[in-house]
Amino acid sequence: MASHFEVLLGAVVERPNTRVAELPLLTESEREELLVKWNDTGAPVAGDRCIHELVMARAAVEPDAVAVIDGTREVTYAELQKAANGVARHLQSLGVGPEQVVGVCVERNWEMVATLLGVLASGGAYLPLDPAHPKARLAQVLEGSRASLVVGHEHLLDRLPWDGPTVVLDEEMLSGAGEPPHPSGVTSKNLAYVLFTSGSTGTPKGVAVTHGSAVELIEWARHVYSDAELAGVLAATSLSFDLSVFELFVPLSWGGTVIVAANALALPALPARERVTLINTVPSAMTELVRAGSVPANVKTVNLAGEPLPRKLADEIWATGTVEALWNLYGPSEDTTYSTYAAVPRESTSPVVIGRPITGTRAYVVDQWEQPVPVGVAGELWLGGAGLARGYLHRPDLTAERFTPDPFSDDPEARVYRTGDLVRWLADGTLDFLGRRDHQVKVRGFRIELGEIESVLRGHTEVRDVVVVAEESRLIAYVVANADVAEVREHVRARLPEYMVPLFVGMEALPLTPNGKVDRRALPKPDAAAAQSTGYIAPRTELERQLCGIWQEMLGVERVGIEDDFFELGGHSLLATRLTSRVRTVMGRELPLRALFEHPTIARLCESLPELGGTGVLPAIEVLTRRERLPLSYAQQRLWFIDRLEG
């Protein structure tokens, strides 16, 4: 029997003017299997319900159950509901209602959860604002969202580039004293939240998600995860990323407990670590936890998403001997967090797949002519169904480009989202992720458009040419400029979040192919020695000598001077975390992670120590005592102090 390729080739030879898209690539039975059978995931089940209504229903059933754990504080469902009511009532008094966007800038604690629920109960949609991001970036997000007002903690609101109305969270508001909020009239079709992602044109774009799409995700999770699994869900992801939607609203909708952490690597230090039953994070963060032996025995379920899951990591997770369920999940923000899922088997040599569509989701794999491709053939993944976002907020042009009518549905209102991801169907009806068809990348779990970084770089008047590439766990910018690398880097840091700031390589000119395009294969590997553009300056004190030695070890370079920039030498957020851990191990001293981002040279770091509470030396750390019920390993003790990790 002739293969699809042979049939196609013969037809093209016989009819040379025929478009490939017009040729019969699939039999009727194959088409039925790909478009119908494998997309028979069940009808949407969300109904006309909203996120906060699901949580309110749990509060009515189990008011005294623990909803949120923040450090040592336990907040019941009744207390959480009262606080959310107080926020909602205040926002309504200021005119907040359906389709109005409310910026949220808060610390990671129980009040964060109450504030989000309060915004939703008022009828509004929440917009996360990360105070760690540069003001230029926050200004873009606020302008692009057309936010009505911003609510948050006073000391964080002061940092925002915002002169509009603000609401300061206070004790009286969060006490929930007074009447419940008025019925807002919000429905499942109304906006629930807006998350801004990297944009290829240099401007971030806001993904607008409705209540109905989020409730569809929550309902699917109910049929996959048991009460025991949702009993203690670690909430460690920034609100700016969609994994947080699962971490907060899935457990709260089904009677579980949300355990708030600064980031996933802070898990070993949490007072409530023994109550965590499910971790939902990215593979790069899970790698660090496994490497440090910091996955508590009570964690029975692990969700991994945001970047490809290596088989080696899956094997290491199973090797803990305590994890009972490991899921690989895939999905863009434009399809509400998760679109496909796969249970990762033990002791398998096969690559990890992204699995099958979740309930109410349709998945199509199409070629460049927008026709479905046979099993085993690579194509672009299109997603449709109940989880689709409304589109990009206030960007009808971009929405029309990426959210298009579903050509395989009889419903004239059905749409698909063109993901840009390359996948293939396997014979068992699962999807295998292959990469991207454009310059969007995932680095340490962050979705990044390389074009946005290039656009910001070209905004520097002295930059003549640039190309940005992703290599393993780092971004590299090859820059042709009349300015020095340090100046260009500061230009970028003032405009982009730290996770988007690349390692810089200065070039006289970019290598080109014969047709004039950048020859990416001819770009040189970054040279750590070349990054030491200021020349070597030796350490002057014992503290500087110790830090230089640790930097050399962590960065894998032969020599580090006190004026060398940690990030220009190839450092990134995960390496920074390891470095602070190493400082504690070797020196018995604490180096705050935030200080390293703000003062990336050893000279500047040591100069800043007095204002960080020291006296020119790194402050000593009190040694943790071991607990009888769940002893901390030495590696776990090393991780306790992490106070912030991007992503």
Side-chain angles (χ1 to χ4, degrees):
M1 181 177 178
S3 68
H4 286 286
F5 178 74
E6 290 169 336
V7 171
L8 174 60
L9 181 60
V12 171
V13 171
E14 184 178 335
R15 294 178 287 160
N17 295 324
T18 302
R19 292 178 65 246
V20 176
E22 297 171 353
L23 300 175
L25 288 178
L26 298 171
T27 66
E28 283 302 314
S29 62
E30 288 173 325
R31 192 177 181 91
E32 175 77 12
E33 182 175 55
L34 294 171
L35 300 181
V36 180
K37 181 180 177 181
W38 288 350
N39 279 310
D40 185 13
T41 60
V45 294
D48 190 16
R49 291 176 295 169
C50 297
I51 300 171
H52 59 284
E53 291 172 346
L54 297 180
V55 181
M56 290 169 59
R58 295 308 307 184
V61 173
E62 299 180 279
D64 296 327
V66 177
V68 182
I69 297 179
D70 169 13
T72 58
R73 176 167 183 171
E74 297 185 356
V75 180
T76 67
Y77 273 85
E79 292 169 332
L80 181 66
Q81 186 63 60
K82 285 179 62 178
N85 285 348
V87 174
R89 190 168 55 252
H90 190 87
L91 294 178
Q92 286 181 338
S93 72
L94 299 175
V96 173
E99 298 302 313
Q100 290 188 285
V101 176
V102 176
V104 175
C105 192
V106 290
E107 295 284 2
R108 292 193 62 81
N109 54 32
W110 78 272
E111 295 175 359
M112 170 188 76
V113 185
T115 302
L116 298 184
L117 289 171
V119 172
L120 296 175
S122 73
Y126 71 83
L127 167 71
L129 299 169
D130 191 332
H133 287 179
K135 287 188 175 182
R137 176 74 166 203
L138 291 170
Q140 285 182 312
V141 169
L142 285 164
E143 180 180 359
S145 70
R146 303 179 192 172
S148 299
L149 54 83
V150 176
V151 59
H153 293 115
E154 186 172 14
H155 66 288
L156 298 180
L157 295 177
D158 292 341
R159 304 181 190 177
L160 296 179
W162 170 257
D163 56 6
T166 59
V167 174
V168 177
L169 292 172
D170 57 33
E171 187 174 341
E172 180 180 357
M173 188 188 309
L174 293 167
S175 70
E179 297 297 320
H182 301 294
S184 65
V186 68
T187 72
S188 62
K189 295 181 180 180
N190 286 123
L191 201 59
Y193 60 84
V194 180
L195 302 181
F196 273 76
T197 67
S198 182
S200 59
T201 62
T203 303
K205 53 186 182 290
V207 182
V209 178
T210 64
H211 280 272
S213 293
V215 171
E216 199 68 38
L217 171 76
I218 294 168
E219 287 285 352
W220 161 79
R222 178 58 173 167
H223 296 286
V224 175
Y225 302 93
S226 66
D227 288 346
E229 289 176 296
L230 298 178
V233 176
L234 183 68
T237 304
S238 167
L239 295 182
S240 298
F241 297 90
D242 59 354
L243 269 66
S244 63
V245 175
F246 179 97
E247 294 173 347
L248 298 178
F249 301 127
V250 167
L252 289 177
S253 296
W254 304 119
T257 299
V258 170
I259 301 171
V260 179
N263 55 74
L265 300 187
L267 171 60
L270 294 181
R273 61 187 171 275
E274 299 172 24
R275 295 174 66 172
V276 176
T277 56
L278 186 150
I279 296 176
N280 183 75
T281 190
V282 296
S284 52
M286 195 66 194
T287 298
E288 295 300 313
L289 286 171
V290 172
R291 175 183 292 149
S294 300
V295 181
N298 39 279
V299 172
K300 301 303 181 184
T301 302
V302 175
N303 285 353
L304 294 178
E307 56 191 2
L309 170 56
R311 165 52 63 182
K312 181 176 183 294
L313 174 59
D315 292 341
E316 291 172 346
I317 293 171
W318 283 122
T320 62
T322 54
V323 172
E324 298 176 355
L326 175 59
W327 296 94
N328 188 39
L329 301 116
Y330 160 89
S333 299
E334 288 86 347
D335 196 42
T336 315
T337 308
Y338 297 140
S339 307
T340 69
Y341 69 118
V344 182
R346 301 173 187 260
E347 300 177 356
S348 173
T349 58
S350 301
V352 179
V353 299
I354 60 173
R356 302 173 183 273
I358 72 170
T359 305
T361 295
R362 300 186 302 276
Y364 308 122
V365 184
V366 302
D367 59 21
Q368 59 184 312
W369 296 284
E370 303 184 356
Q371 295 298 306
V373 299
V375 170
V377 176
E380 182 183 4
L381 176 61
W382 289 3
L383 295 169
L388 278 194
R390 179 184 292 174
Y392 298 111
L393 191 65
H394 307 310
R395 297 290 301 274
D397 54 337
L398 190 55
T399 299
E401 177 186 330
R402 300 301 294 271
F403 293 84
T404 59
D406 184 344
F408 310 116
S409 174
D410 295 330
D411 181 357
E413 300 297 321
R415 301 175 304 147
V416 292
Y417 169 65
R418 302 169 179 237
T419 68
D421 288 331
L422 294 176
V423 301
R424 62 177 177 173
W425 285 111
L426 299 182
D428 62 354
T430 59
L431 290 164
D432 184 24
F433 180 82
L434 301 174
R436 289 288 298 179
R437 63 188 295 266
D438 56 18
H439 294 305
Q440 184 186 109
V441 297
K442 285 288 186 73
V443 177
R444 301 187 300 280
F446 296 101
R447 170 175 155 182
I448 298 170
E449 295 278 4
L450 298 180
E452 181 174 2
I453 304 174
E454 292 176 353
S455 177
V456 170
L457 279 162
R458 290 192 176 98
H460 191 293
T461 56
E462 298 300 321
V463 171
R464 293 185 280 123
D465 205 355
V466 63
V467 64
V468 179
V469 302
E471 181 185 276
E472 297 179 349
S473 61
R474 62 182 179 177
L475 298 164
I476 306 169
Y478 295 89
V479 181
V480 180
N482 298 326
D484 61 39
V485 168
E487 180 183 332
V488 174
R489 179 180 172 80
E490 287 307 310
H491 170 82
V492 174
R493 288 191 69 186
R495 291 161 177 80
L496 293 176
E498 191 65 44
Y499 66 85
M500 293 182 69
V501 178
L503 171 67
F504 289 87
V505 177
M507 304 280 288
E508 291 295 326
L510 297 179
L512 303 177
T513 62
N515 63 4
K517 294 184 178 181
V518 175
D519 187 350
R520 293 172 182 265
R521 283 186 277 189
L523 292 168
K525 295 293 183 182
D527 181 2
Q532 297 168 308
S533 56
T534 57
Y536 176 72
I537 300 177
R540 300 157 299 186
T541 66
E542 180 59 27
L543 174 60
E544 290 178 346
R545 277 190 289 275
Q546 287 183 295
L547 290 174
C548 283
I550 293 173
W551 282 33
Q552 289 168 199
E553 174 190 348
M554 301 307 300
L555 294 167
V557 297
E558 293 185 5
R559 186 174 68 174
V560 172
I562 62 173
E563 293 294 342
D564 294 331
D565 189 296
F566 176 79
F567 299 100
E568 289 180 8
L569 292 177
H572 50 69
S573 57
L574 283 178
L575 270 180
T577 301
R578 293 182 202 164
L579 185 144
T580 54
S581 177
R582 187 64 175 154
V583 166
R584 183 177 188 274
T585 301
V586 173
M587 304 172 64
R589 307 282 176 170
E590 180 177 1
L591 173 60
L593 191 57
R594 186 182 294 111
L596 183 58
F597 282 113
E598 295 174 352
H599 310 284
T601 71
I602 289 174
R604 287 174 55 188
L605 196 59
C606 291
E607 289 173 3
S608 72
L609 290 176
E611 68 187 54
L612 296 174
T615 55
V617 296
L618 294 172
I621 300 174
E622 180 182 353
V623 177
L624 295 180
T625 58
R626 295 182 178 268
R627 299 182 54 160
E628 292 297 326
R629 189 173 176 189
L630 180 64
L632 285 179
S633 69
Y634 185 58
Q636 287 173 321
Q637 290 186 33
R638 296 206 318 261
L639 283 168
W640 77 272
F641 61 88
I642 297 171
D643 58 6
R644 185 168 187 84
L645 177 68
E646 291 287 344

